[in-house]
Amino acid sequence: LQKLLVECFPDYPTENIFFNKSPQFRLLAKSGNQLVGQIGVEFRVINNDGQIARTFCISDVCVLESFRSKQIASQMLLRIEELGRKNNVAFLILTTSRKSLYYKLGYRGKSNTFKWFMIQNNRSLGIANRSLGSDTIMVKSISNQKWGKGEIDLLGPIF
Ligand SMILES: CC(C)(COP(=O)(O)OP(=O)(O)OC[C@H]1O[C@@H](n2cnc3c(N)ncnc32)[C@H](O)[C@@H]1OP(=O)(O)O)[C@@H](O)C(=O)NCCC(=O)NCCS
């Protein structure tokens, strides 16, 4: 897992298999015995503009370079979506610097003000409260619940 993460993300820590906080579970993609992709997921109840919302917070979507453009990431994301739907999850949330993969799957950028608990180098830093611009946080709604226009309190660290 470490090897996959470091290969896919050049800045990935070499001593941990997570950046700031370990995900609750991971979806792994394998080709035979070889690990070729992974996605980290945290189930989190957030405060969505005053409404409680059950969410899956998605992190570290990655696929080994030689296995890319075969829809492996898309299929993993769809599996997580299916799991979310079965478990009454309202929204899938992730941060990204490139939107194309997620946009094709129905995720949309959100420019709300977000509040989250900042962690860096295994230390608590305090509460952040700002908009990250609609290019950074993407959300897919998988229920009838509406995404609010006001503040989104992530009730924990960002992912
Ligand atoms: C992003 C990534 C997981 C896509 O995996 P994949 O299995 O090739 O994805 P799919 O085959 O389902 O979809 C491919 C599409 O994803 C999009 N894409 C490519 N690189 C991307 C990236 N870094 N971020 C978001 N989308 C990307 C493109 O639209 C691509 O379409 P194309 O193959 O026609 O060019 C893979 O490129 C990767 O591991 N990159 C390095 C790690 C990374 O940047 N992860 C994203 C963190 S937000």
Side-chain angles (χ1 to χ4, degrees), residues 7-9 38 60-65 67-77 94-102 104-105:
E7 268 181 53
C8 292
F9 300 102
Q38 82 102 46
D60 299 338
V61 178
C62 67
V63 170
L64 269 188
E65 197 164 2
F67 286 83
R68 288 183 194 162
S69 296
K70 297 176 192 291
Q71 304 295 303
I72 294 176
S74 301
Q75 282 183 42
M76 287 196 291
L77 286 160
L94 52 83
T95 61
T96 182
S97 53
R98 284 184 57 184
K99 292 168 101 169
S100 58
L101 165 65
Y102 311 108
K104 281 185 221 167
L105 294 173

Side-chain angles (χ1 to χ4, degrees), residues 37-55:
Q38 82 102 46
I39 297 183
V41 184
E42 175 161 334
F43 169 74
R44 176 100 54 88
V45 175
I46 66 165
N47 182 335
N48 179 344
D49 194 15
Q51 303 287 318
I52 291 305
R54 293 162 65 85
T55 62

Side-chain angles (χ1 to χ4, degrees), residues 51-157:
Q51 303 287 318
I52 291 305
R54 293 162 65 85
T55 62
F56 272 172
C57 304
I58 292 174
S59 60
D60 299 338
V61 178
C62 67
V63 170
L64 269 188
E65 197 164 2
S66 50
F67 286 83
R68 288 183 194 162
S69 296
K70 297 176 192 291
Q71 304 295 303
I72 294 176
S74 301
Q75 282 183 42
M76 287 196 291
L77 286 160
L78 290 170
R79 288 289 290 275
I80 287 168
E81 186 175 325
E82 195 186 324
L83 192 62
R85 288 181 194 275
K86 281 189 186 150
N87 287 282
N88 297 321
V89 164
F91 301 106
L92 311 174
I93 310 181
L94 52 83
T95 61
T96 182
S97 53
R98 284 184 57 184
K99 292 168 101 169
S100 58
L101 165 65
Y102 311 108
Y103 195 87
K104 281 185 221 167
L105 294 173
Y107 290 73
R108 295 294 177 263
K110 298 293 176 191
S111 53
N112 304 67
T113 298
F114 286 85
K115 192 183 263 185
W116 73 93
F117 180 66
M118 287 190 294
I119 300 174
Q120 207 172 50
N121 300 328
N122 305 319
R123 288 184 188 279
S124 306
L125 289 189
I127 306 294
N129 190 1
R130 58 177 181 265
S131 166
L132 294 168
S134 63
D135 282 342
T136 302
I137 295 209
M138 296 189 82
V139 172
K140 180 165 184 178
S141 174
I142 55 169
S143 72
N144 293 331
Q145 196 170 345
K146 294 272 174 287
W147 186 261
K149 291 188 187 325
E151 182 184 88
I152 310 295
D153 191 334
L154 295 176
L155 302 180

